[in-house]
Amino acid sequence: MNILILGNGLLGQELSNQTGWKTLSRNKDGFDITDPTTYSKMLSTYDGTAQYCKYDTIINCIANTDTYSNDRQHHWKVNYKGVADLVDFCNEWKIKLIHISTDYVYANSSGIPTEEDVPVHQETYYAYTKLLADGYVELRSNNYLIVRTTHKPDPFPYDKAWLNQIGNFDYVTVTASLISKLVKSGSKGIINVGTQMKSVFELAKRTRADVLPGLVPSSLVPNNTLMNLDKLIKLNLK
């Protein structure tokens, strides 16, 4: 497998650190997911007889993750339109797309939703556009894996951590390890990725003993992003 990571944020960089897979990003390389003309320039090459892509698997970690932002246009361009263009590019070049989605698409759901349940997204442009992108990948991609997850910085960097937000989130080191194993296993479809239920405060206490309890600051942050992890557990990733 010749794998490329798009984006060198917290998750993209950790994936690269753990695996040695190459990264391309806007800040580091000038890769712009909102401009499809950069795809062929940066992802393909000419061998003297034909144009071909350098990679057979692309992991998309690029997203506008600002849940507090009301900038609909930017969320739309990055989280949906950019992904739609990337799907079309990957289909053309016969590349498998690993798309990093979010557990926010399940916020406000009743019970603990599985990958087959209808997501009830949290009411932000972030959650809305990420859910739309998931749908486009499902509908149009010829070869894909959608990973729904959330990761936190390791160690926890903030003075306060939320008592009243629960989910399957974990530190980025743990999440990146699970994702890399999924990629290497050849998994396809939609898979919820995380660990056992916990609050943000419980997670934070593992790496920062002096962290103080706090509450989510507004309705823009969901209290519950729990997901069913049975599919991930059955894969028994080693």
Side-chain angles (χ1 to χ4, degrees):
M1 299 173 72
N2 196 1
I3 299 169
L4 174 70
I5 301 166
L6 296 180
N8 67 339
L10 190 63
L11 180 59
Q13 193 57 58
E14 183 61 31
L15 274 170
S16 181
N17 290 343
Q18 291 188 15
T19 62
W21 297 333
K22 182 179 178 180
T23 65
L24 280 180
S25 72
R26 183 171 190 138
N27 292 337
K28 181 170 66 71
D29 308 288
F31 180 87
D32 185 358
I33 198 169
T34 68
D35 181 6
T37 63
T38 64
Y39 297 177
S40 57
K41 291 178 183 178
M42 305 188 76
L43 303 180
S44 62
T45 190
Y46 185 69
D47 65 0
T49 58
Q51 197 86 0
Y52 70 97
C53 187
K54 306 171 189 177
Y55 309 97
D56 54 41
T57 304
I58 288 177
I59 305 174
N60 179 37
C61 295
I62 296 174
N64 179 345
T65 60
D66 186 354
T67 59
Y68 297 98
S69 172
N70 288 319
D71 188 348
R72 177 186 184 277
Q73 189 64 23
H74 192 261
H75 279 288
W76 187 266
K77 285 175 61 178
V78 174
N79 294 346
Y80 177 71
K81 181 63 166 57
V83 173
D85 290 334
L86 183 60
V87 167
D88 296 342
F89 175 85
C90 288
N91 284 343
E92 179 183 357
W93 293 91
K94 296 180 173 56
I95 300 165
K96 181 176 183 179
L97 175 62
I98 315 292
H99 178 61
I100 306 301
S101 184
T102 174
D103 56 5
Y104 271 44
V105 302
Y106 293 125
N108 301 327
S109 295
S110 59
I112 302 177
T114 72
E115 293 86 347
E116 281 70 45
D117 289 329
V118 178
V120 183
H121 67 84
Q122 192 243 352
E123 295 176 358
T124 61
Y125 283 122
Y126 166 67
Y128 176 59
T129 52
K130 292 292 284 184
L131 181 58
L132 289 175
D134 285 8
Y136 192 93
V137 174
E138 282 189 88
L139 181 65
R140 297 296 300 272
S141 176
N142 295 332
N143 189 3
Y144 70 91
L145 169 65
I146 295 173
V147 175
R148 289 176 172 161
T149 190
T150 287
H151 53 278
K152 306 295 183 183
D154 185 6
F156 194 80
Y158 309 112
D159 295 331
K160 289 186 178 181
W162 300 325
L163 280 168
N164 62 334
Q165 185 187 67
I166 59 170
N168 305 105
F169 38 72
D170 212 311
Y171 287 116
V172 66
T173 46
V174 175
T175 304
S177 177
L178 290 170
I179 292 172
S180 67
K181 291 173 183 177
L182 279 176
V183 173
K184 293 173 184 176
S185 74
S187 297
K188 296 183 180 183
I190 303 176
I191 300 181
N192 298 333
V193 172
T195 54
Q196 72 279 2
M197 181 184 73
K198 66 190 76 64
S199 68
V200 177
F201 181 73
E202 289 171 323
L203 178 66
K205 290 287 285 186
R206 296 180 188 174
T207 58
R208 184 164 181 174
D210 63 344
V211 70
L212 299 174
L215 300 177
V216 297
S218 75
S219 61
L220 296 176
V221 180
N223 294 106
N224 186 336
T225 58
L226 284 172
M227 309 177 291
N228 183 292
L229 301 177
D230 287 351
K231 186 183 289 189
L232 178 70
I233 292 168
K234 287 177 182 177
L235 289 172
N236 194 27
L237 300 172
K238 301 294 185 182

